[in-house]
């Protein structure tokens, strides 16, 4: 008698096959939205260069403007105008919540 062991093993195997990177995109979308709202705008290039890229290990929020770090952290002649770190701080709880929703849905579909 296996007392449902075969069914449990099958469900665990399906859970193990879930795309572990799937939750990263919705989480980063929350942070990206907050970052874009906080990005200082002169021409809009900095804000428009912020985007999400899927990678083999998940997803990344990238900023292509080569001067982004100078805006975020400042220079010897320019005061910092932090926008990305505060966006992460403000949106991290919402981002985790979005990621959790995806994980819960993936598990629900797997079992």
């Amino acid at each position: 008698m296996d007392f449902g062991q075969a069914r449990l093993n099958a469900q665990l195997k399906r859970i193990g096959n879930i795309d572990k990177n799937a939750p990263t995109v919705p989480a980063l979308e929350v942070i990206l939205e907050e970052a874009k709202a906080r990005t200082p705008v002169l021409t809009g290039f900095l804000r428009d260069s912020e985007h999400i890229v899927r990678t083999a290990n998940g997803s990344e929020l990238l900023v292509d403007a080569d001067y982004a770090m100078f805006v975020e952290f400042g220079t010897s002649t320019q005061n910092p105008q932090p926008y990305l770190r505060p966006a992460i701080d403000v949106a991290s709880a919402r981002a985790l919540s979005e990621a959790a929703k995806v994980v819960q849905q993936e598990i629900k579909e797997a079992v």
Side-chain angles (χ1 to χ4, degrees), residues 31-53:
I31 294 170
L32 178 62
E33 180 182 345
E34 187 67 33
K36 285 185 177 283
R38 293 173 172 273
T39 302
V41 176
L42 184 60
T43 66
F45 180 76
L46 176 60
R47 182 191 56 215
D48 293 344
S49 77
E50 302 164 358
H51 61 282
I52 297 168
V53 174

Side-chain angles (χ1 to χ4, degrees), residues 5-100:
Q5 186 68 37
R7 182 172 178 233
L8 177 60
N9 286 339
Q11 289 175 333
L12 290 173
K13 184 176 181 179
R14 286 193 303 271
I15 290 172
N17 291 332
I18 289 175
D19 178 6
K20 289 147 188 85
N21 297 330
T24 61
V25 172
L28 286 176
E29 286 173 346
V30 171
I31 294 170
L32 178 62
E33 180 182 345
E34 187 67 33
K36 285 185 177 283
R38 293 173 172 273
T39 302
V41 176
L42 184 60
T43 66
F45 180 76
L46 176 60
R47 182 191 56 215
D48 293 344
S49 77
E50 302 164 358
H51 61 282
I52 297 168
V53 174
R54 275 196 82 124
T55 67
N57 297 320
S59 301
E60 296 177 358
L61 193 158
L62 299 178
V63 182
D64 291 336
D66 58 356
Y67 58 88
M69 68 182 138
F70 303 126
V71 175
E72 181 80 14
F73 300 110
T75 67
S76 61
T77 60
Q78 175 183 318
N79 289 331
Q81 299 178 69
Y83 64 96
L84 193 52
R85 184 69 229 183
I88 293 168
D89 292 342
V90 167
S92 62
R94 286 192 327 248
L96 287 173
S97 176
E98 289 302 312

